[in-house]
């Protein structure tokens, strides 16, 4: 994607849009502009050497007026009305890091605006042609309808994110198509090696041996299901509600001759929990990698009950799941307005301790919690490298706007894990009722 920086000789225009905006936003940002701002009239304001922010249209301001903060800025960015070009050593990630640092230093979450500041801001917006009806939501923004976490709505939410195309994801992930946190021996561990290490770790924690039956809940593109069958000899049943994923896994099962060891069902996890469920108490082990975030707060006990009922007494259950600080996940348990609107509608995260409580309240005994937050920074950075290397083909597949959505998603995600706003953990449990086989001394 070509990003255009302003001419090197661009000069500040005193009567220009940029200066007027700098004055209008001063009360909102607690001082002078922390960025170099270029407006659609070519005017520039803000300190030299700071990250460059380009406003290409008054619509960017209009979005921010209607949706102040993260959502409005994200809408403007993905449509290209706002851009953060690479320049003078700055890129999107370092620019966002700079903005977060300035916000924390200035305590912007506690800024209270005077009526005069609000009036001045509206007057400036009117003078710049930024008042009016809200611009239409970007085409890439999710449009999800129906009762929260109904079967139909969940299928729609999952389809929005996962059915872009299998080729799209294959260009960002690695050959195993593992769309979850890897296990990096060092920051430089190649992505494919880190994902293979993660899959080995999960199968080892589950105690898989040849002939054991494993259930993979929310199996994605089958990385765990195929690995458990191919390298540990397990008999695997996987469930997913993403039709494109099932097609992909079925093709790999055929290619690898694993049809007698892996079965993938297009099925909602809730459809498993029936009074006459033939596979109740059937599986030796159950794995679920970064699926629990999608079931919602209300349905989480049902999700745990499915895991508990599926596994035999004494059997092991491993949940790998993202977390978020603050009771119940804080103000934005879905990850924030951008992720909730463009990436994963209806997702719910919470502190890992609350998830442990829910798992134990559901009748499983938690034995290990393995924090892996730093590993996700390395994993996402690997995805970013693949994303940038395959940018022309990705743009052909999904268009410029969706590419911008994914750049913001990946860069923002790496920062969230780096800075501790999000975490990820492997939670290993056993079902009471029979002796478990967990070693007294762990080797992981």
């Amino acid at each position: 994607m070509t990003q255009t920086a302003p001419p090197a000789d661009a000069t500040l225009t005193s009567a220009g849009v940029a200066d007027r905006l700098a004055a209008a936003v001063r009360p909102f940002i607690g001082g002078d502009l922390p960025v170099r701002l270029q407006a659609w009239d070519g005017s520039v304001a803000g300190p030299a050497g700071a990250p460059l922010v380009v406003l290409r249209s008054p619509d960017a301001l209009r979005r921010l007026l209607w949706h102040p903060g993260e959502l409005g800025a994200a809408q403007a960015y993905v449509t290209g009305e706002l851009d953060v070009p690479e320049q003078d050593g700055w890129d999107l990630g370092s620019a966002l890091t700079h903005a977060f640092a300035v916000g924390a230093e200035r305590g912007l979450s506690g800024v209270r605006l005077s009526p005069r500041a609000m009036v001045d801001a509206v007057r400036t917006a009117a003078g710049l042609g930024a008042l009016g009806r809200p611009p239409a939501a970007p085409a890439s923004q999710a449009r999800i309808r129906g009762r929260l976490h109904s079967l139909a709505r969940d299928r729609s939410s999952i389809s929005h994110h996962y059915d872009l195309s299998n080729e799209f994801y294959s260009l960002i992930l690695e050959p195993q198509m593992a769309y979850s946190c890897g296990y990096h021996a060092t920051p430089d561990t190649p992505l494919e090696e880190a994902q293979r290490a993660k899959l080995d770790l999960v199968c080892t924690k589950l105690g898989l041996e040849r002939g054991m039956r494993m259930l993979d809940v929310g199996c994605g593109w089958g990385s765990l299901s195929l690995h458990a069958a191919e390298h540990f000899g397990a008999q695997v049943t996987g469930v997913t509600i993403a039709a494109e994923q099932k097609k992909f896994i079925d093709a790999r099962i055929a290619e690898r001759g694993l049809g007698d060891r892996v079965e993938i069902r297009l099925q909602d996890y809730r459809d498993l929990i029936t009074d006459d469920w033939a596979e109740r108490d059937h599986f030796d082990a159950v794995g679920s990698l970064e699926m629990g975030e999608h079931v919602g707060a209300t349905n989480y006990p049902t999700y745990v009950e499915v895991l508990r009922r599926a596994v035999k007494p004494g059997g092991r259950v491993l949940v790998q799941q993202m977390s978020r600080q603050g009771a119940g996940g804080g103000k934005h348990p879905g990850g924030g307005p951008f992720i909730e609107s463009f990436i994963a509608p209806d997702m719910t995260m919470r502190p890992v301790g609350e998830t442990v409580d829910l798992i134990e309240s559901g009748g499983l005994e938690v034995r290990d919690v393995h924090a892996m937050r730093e590993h996700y920074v390395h994993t996402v950075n690997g995805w970013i490298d693949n994303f940038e290397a395959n940018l022309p083909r990705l743009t052909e597949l999904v268009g410029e706007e969706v590419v911008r959505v994914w750049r913001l998603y990946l860069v923002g995600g790496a920062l969230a894990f780096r800075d501790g706003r999000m975490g990820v953990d492997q939670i290993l449990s056993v079902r009471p009722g029979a002796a478990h086989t967990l070693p007294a001394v762990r080797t992981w």
Side-chain angles (χ1 to χ4, degrees):
M1 179 170 58
T2 301
Q3 295 178 316
T4 304
D9 61 350
T11 57
L12 184 150
T13 304
S14 60
V17 170
D19 260 349
R20 295 167 67 183
L21 286 173
V25 302
R26 202 174 193 284
F28 295 81
I29 62 174
D32 295 334
L33 283 176
V35 299
R36 188 76 165 160
L37 179 66
Q38 179 187 344
W40 55 87
D41 66 341
S43 62
V44 180
L52 178 67
V53 176
V54 179
L55 297 181
R56 294 200 170 102
S57 166
D59 281 345
L61 296 184
R62 188 172 293 121
R63 292 190 190 280
L64 285 164
L65 288 171
W66 281 97
H67 301 289
E70 182 179 312
L71 181 57
Q75 289 181 329
Y77 178 81
V78 304
T79 57
E81 299 155 1
L82 180 155
D83 203 4
V84 184
E86 293 187 13
Q87 179 173 298
D88 298 332
W90 295 98
D91 58 16
L92 181 60
S94 57
L96 288 172
T97 297
H98 174 73
F100 293 150
V102 171
E105 180 183 337
R106 296 182 180 181
L108 295 186
S109 61
V111 170
R112 293 187 178 183
L113 300 174
S114 68
R116 173 64 183 272
M118 297 294 293
V119 170
D120 288 347
V122 171
R123 184 179 293 120
T124 299
L128 297 176
L131 293 186
R133 296 175 62 84
S140 56
Q141 189 165 331
R143 291 160 174 80
I144 307 299
R145 302 287 185 270
R147 181 172 51 83
L148 184 64
H149 290 298
S150 63
L151 295 177
R153 181 178 173 118
D154 277 357
R155 281 193 295 269
S156 181
S157 296
I158 293 298
S159 177
H160 170 80
H161 187 56
Y162 291 96
D163 286 346
L164 282 172
S165 82
N166 291 330
E167 183 182 356
F168 176 85
Y169 282 95
S170 73
L171 295 171
I172 296 173
L173 307 179
E174 36 64 63
Q176 295 155 114
M177 293 287 279
Y179 189 30
S180 55
C181 180
Y183 195 50
H184 298 254
T186 72
D188 298 323
T189 300
L191 183 60
E192 183 175 358
E193 182 180 331
Q195 292 292 13
R196 187 165 53 249
K198 184 270 301 295
L199 296 171
D200 279 340
L201 180 66
V202 170
C203 292
T204 299
K205 286 182 176 182
L206 287 174
L208 292 184
E209 296 178 357
R210 183 165 299 278
M212 280 188 168
R213 293 184 292 263
M214 188 193 88
L215 176 65
D216 185 0
V217 181
C219 60
W221 284 276
S223 61
L224 176 59
S225 292
L226 296 169
H227 192 84
E230 198 165 15
H231 298 284
F232 286 78
Q235 296 289 135
V236 183
T237 300
V239 294
T240 178
I241 60 173
E244 288 295 311
Q245 290 181 334
K246 175 172 165 51
K247 291 178 185 176
F248 180 90
I249 309 170
D250 285 344
R252 284 206 162 172
I253 290 170
E255 290 168 4
R256 299 180 186 185
L258 295 173
D260 61 336
R261 277 186 270 171
V262 184
E263 176 194 6
I264 302 300
R265 302 173 184 170
L266 192 62
Q267 186 175 33
D268 191 280
Y269 73 98
R270 285 164 288 193
D271 291 339
L272 298 173
I273 190 166
T274 60
D275 291 336
D276 59 349
W277 185 19
E279 293 171 318
R280 182 170 180 171
D281 310 329
H282 172 77
F283 296 95
D284 300 290
V286 177
S288 188
L289 304 185
E290 298 182 25
M291 152 73 180
E293 304 91 335
H294 297 286
V295 306
T298 302
N299 286 334
Y300 204 84
T302 301
Y303 169 70
V304 175
E305 179 67 0
V306 169
L307 307 181
R308 188 190 68 81
R309 284 196 188 189
V311 75
K312 294 178 177 179
R316 305 182 199 177
V317 174
L318 185 140
V319 172
Q320 180 170 307
Q321 190 166 310
M322 292 181 285
S323 63
R324 193 165 174 87
Q325 294 302 308
K331 184 178 180 182
H332 294 292
F338 166 65
I339 287 181
E340 294 164 17
S341 298
F342 284 87
I343 300 297
D346 304 338
M347 187 164 66
T348 301
M349 294 174 284
R350 65 184 70 82
V352 62
E354 292 184 14
T355 297
V356 168
D357 286 345
L358 287 166
I359 290 173
E360 294 205 317
S361 296
L364 294 170
E365 179 188 0
V366 172
R367 303 291 306 200
D368 286 317
V369 178
H370 186 170
M372 299 172 61
R373 175 176 64 81
E374 292 85 357
H375 292 266
Y376 229 148
V377 180
H378 308 317
T379 298
V380 178
N381 284 336
W383 292 341
I384 291 172
D385 289 344
N386 291 344
F387 175 89
E388 297 296 348
N390 293 295
L391 194 57
R393 179 55 181 158
L394 290 169
T395 305
E396 289 178 8
L397 286 170
V398 298
E400 179 76 14
E401 183 175 306
V402 174
V403 160
R404 291 176 71 84
V405 168
W406 270 75
R407 176 177 284 114
L408 185 58
Y409 167 49
L410 292 172
V411 170
L415 299 183
F417 288 108
R418 182 198 69 184
D419 298 340
R421 295 191 301 277
M422 289 171 57
V424 65
D425 306 273
Q426 287 186 353
I427 305 170
L428 180 64
S429 307
V430 296
R431 179 178 171 181
H436 65 73
T437 59
L438 276 170
V441 177
R442 311 287 196 257
T443 57
W444 54 77

